[in-house]
Amino acid sequence: MSSLKKVSINKVRRNLMRILTKNIGNVNISKGGTIDKSKIKKVLICRPNGRLGNMLLVTPLIQEVSAVFPGCKIDLFVKGTLAPIVFEKYDNVDKIIDLPKKPFKDLVKYFKVWTLIKKQNYDLVINVDQNSSSGRLAVQFSNAKYKFFGDLPESVQSNYDDHEHIAKYPVYNLRYFLSQFGIEDKKEPVPLLDLKLTQEEISKGKEILNNIVDEQKRTIAIFTFATGEKCYCVEWWEEFYTALKKEYQDYNIFEVLPVENVSQIDFQAPSFYSKDIREIGSVLANVDVFIGADSGIMHLSSASKAPTAGLFSISSLKKYQPYGNNSVGIDTNQLTVPDYINAINKILNK
C-alpha cells in the first residue's frame, strides 16, 4: 500500500471516529457541589498520541494537576513507547497505559488497554484534546466520580489571548472545570514544558557538548530537520546558515542531527547525534539558544529549558510556539532572515 493511500485511509478513519464520538460527554458544565481536594488521590490523564512533542506538551498539565492535588497519583493513557522516558522523573506518575501504535495489528493488547482502564477506580479523569476520539472514549469508559472531556464554552476561551496553545488550553480548561466545583482559579501562569532533567544529566550533557565545541564560547544549536512540509529545503537552510555564521563569528554553532541522520546543510557544522531523548535534552540544556523548525526536538529543547527560537511556515505558531525561558516563535512566511537574526539577538541580549 502506498504512503499516500495510507494517509488517506487514516484521515478517513480519524474523521469517522470524530463524528461518532463528538457527542460523548458533550454536556454543559454546571455547578454540582464541591470537590474536596484531599479526596482526589487517583487521576487519569488521557492523551493517546505517541509523538514526542505531544508527550512533552502534556507536562504543564501534569504539573498543574500535581499542584492542585498534592500527593495524588497520576496514570497516563498514551500511545507508543516514549512516555516512560519523557515522564521518567515525574514521581507522581504511576501507571502508563499505552495503546499499541498499530492497534489492528495487536488487537489483544488493544483490548487489554481498555479493560485496564475500566478496572481502575479514579477520582478524576481528564481528556487533554477534545478532538481526540480515543481520549473521549477513555473518559467515558472509565470509572470516576469526576470526568472532564475537554469541552468548554467559547466565552471561557476568549478570556485568554494564548488559549489556542496546545500546552496551555488543557490547563485553562481544567481550571475552569474545577472552578465550577469550588476550586479557585488563581490565574497563575501556565507551567512550562519540563523534562525534569536532573543536575547529573545536565552535567553529563555539558561534558558531551564540550567535546563537540569550544567551551570558552557561547553556543548556538541548530536542528535543520522536521517532518513533512515543516522541513525547510536545503536552499533555505544554506541561506540562513550562511547568515548565522556571519552574524555569530565568535559563537559555536553546532547541529543536532535527527534519528534519520540527515543534514540540510550537508554536515557543514560540528554535529551531535543520539537516539537517547534525555541525552539530547541534557545537551540542549547547556546551549545559549536553540534554533529549529516546529518538531519534537524543538519541544524537547523547550522542555530542557533552553531558550528556543521556533521556525514556523506550515503549522500554527499560536498553537505550537515555544514559550518561557526567553523563547520565541518566528513566522517565516511573514519575516525574512534579518528578522530571524534580530529575534535571536534579543534572546542572546546581543
Side-chain angles (χ1 to χ4, degrees):
M1 187 183 294
S2 69
S3 299
L4 186 59
K5 200 167 185 179
K6 283 182 181 178
V7 170
S8 298
I9 291 173
N10 286 334
K11 187 175 181 180
V12 170
R13 178 183 59 79
R14 285 195 297 269
N15 288 338
L16 178 60
M17 285 298 292
R18 283 172 185 164
I19 291 170
L20 293 173
T21 60
K22 68 178 181 179
N23 291 320
I24 291 178
N26 189 13
V27 294
N28 291 328
I29 298 172
S30 58
K31 292 185 179 180
T34 60
I35 293 178
D36 183 345
K37 292 196 290 185
S38 67
K39 297 290 180 63
I40 304 298
K41 301 293 187 182
K42 190 78 172 175
V43 178
L44 175 66
I45 295 177
C46 304
R47 186 62 170 111
N49 185 295
R51 295 175 181 168
L52 173 61
N54 284 326
M55 290 292 95
L56 292 165
L57 288 161
V58 176
T59 58
L61 179 62
I62 294 175
Q63 294 171 69
E64 178 77 11
V65 171
S66 302
V68 176
F69 305 111
C72 75
K73 289 294 182 182
I74 299 173
D75 288 357
L76 300 176
F77 173 48
V78 297
K79 182 181 283 188
T81 58
L82 288 178
I85 301 168
V86 171
F87 304 109
E88 179 182 322
K89 302 302 180 183
Y90 279 80
D91 294 335
N92 60 333
V93 170
D94 192 13
K95 295 185 183 68
I96 292 178
I97 305 169
D98 60 294
L99 276 176
K101 286 185 177 180
K102 298 180 179 179
F104 296 108
K105 289 188 176 181
D106 197 348
L107 284 173
V108 173
K109 183 178 180 182
Y110 180 78
F111 287 113
K112 278 185 177 179
V113 165
W114 294 101
T115 302
L116 182 58
I117 290 175
K118 188 66 176 176
K119 283 183 176 179
Q120 304 294 316
N121 290 314
Y122 293 104
D123 301 304
L124 171 65
V125 178
I126 303 164
N127 178 38
V128 175
D129 182 1
Q130 65 179 1
N131 295 315
S132 169
S133 302
S134 296
R136 298 182 76 88
L137 283 170
V139 176
Q140 180 71 14
F141 202 57
S142 65
N143 291 313
K145 184 174 182 181
Y146 301 102
K147 298 183 179 184
F148 181 47
F149 292 86
D151 302 297
L152 278 183
E154 288 186 8
S155 58
V156 176
Q157 301 176 16
S158 64
N159 290 334
Y160 304 95
D161 293 337
D162 55 355
H163 188 275
E164 290 180 48
H165 198 283
I166 195 169
K168 296 183 179 183
Y169 75 71
V171 175
Y172 290 138
N173 289 1
L174 178 66
R175 288 176 179 176
Y176 177 78
F177 173 76
L178 294 177
S179 73
Q180 304 307 292
F181 295 91
I183 297 179
E184 181 187 1
D185 179 358
K186 296 181 179 178
K187 309 292 185 182
E188 295 177 348
V190 174
L192 305 183
L193 275 65
D194 195 353
L195 189 60
K196 286 192 177 292
L197 292 167
T198 65
Q199 190 54 54
E200 183 179 358
E201 287 177 309
I202 294 171
S203 296
K204 179 62 177 177
K206 179 65 174 173
E207 290 178 19
I208 294 171
L209 186 60
N210 288 346
N211 287 327
I212 301 171
V213 299
D214 183 350
E215 62 180 292
Q216 301 302 318
K217 296 181 179 179
R218 300 182 76 187
T219 298
I220 297 170
I222 60 174
F223 183 72
T224 66
F225 191 70
T227 56
E229 295 181 338
K230 292 189 292 185
C231 187
Y232 292 87
C233 66
V234 169
E235 291 76 18
W236 188 95
W237 268 108
E238 282 285 356
E239 179 186 2
F240 187 29
Y241 181 55
T242 298
L244 288 173
K245 288 191 294 183
K246 181 179 179 181
E247 179 71 19
Y248 304 107
Q249 296 180 35
D250 296 327
Y251 286 66
N252 298 308
I253 302 177
F254 82 102
E255 182 178 11
V256 179
L257 298 175
V259 67
E260 292 83 358
N261 199 25
V262 295
S263 168
Q264 296 296 88
I265 58 170
D266 197 26
F267 301 96
Q268 293 180 57
S271 60
F272 166 68
Y273 178 82
S274 175
K275 293 183 179 180
D276 185 329
I277 290 168
R278 300 194 69 86
E279 183 176 68
I280 298 170
S282 72
V283 170
L284 293 178
N286 290 281
V287 305
D288 293 280
V289 64
F290 167 93
I291 306 166
D294 176 29
S295 66
I297 298 298
M298 182 200 77
H299 294 302
L300 181 64
S301 170
S302 187
S304 301
K305 304 304 176 67
T308 301
L311 308 170
F312 288 79
S313 61
I314 299 295
S315 49
S316 169
L317 187 148
K318 286 187 176 181
K319 189 173 183 179
Y320 295 106
Q321 67 179 322
Y323 68 96
N325 301 306
N326 209 21
S327 297
V328 65
I330 299 171
D331 184 347
T332 60
N333 294 317
Q334 301 294 325
L335 304 174
T336 60
V337 171
D339 298 312
Y340 315 159
I341 297 296
N342 287 336
I344 296 165
N345 282 342
K346 288 180 181 178
I347 294 176
L348 296 170
N349 295 315
K350 187 179 176 186

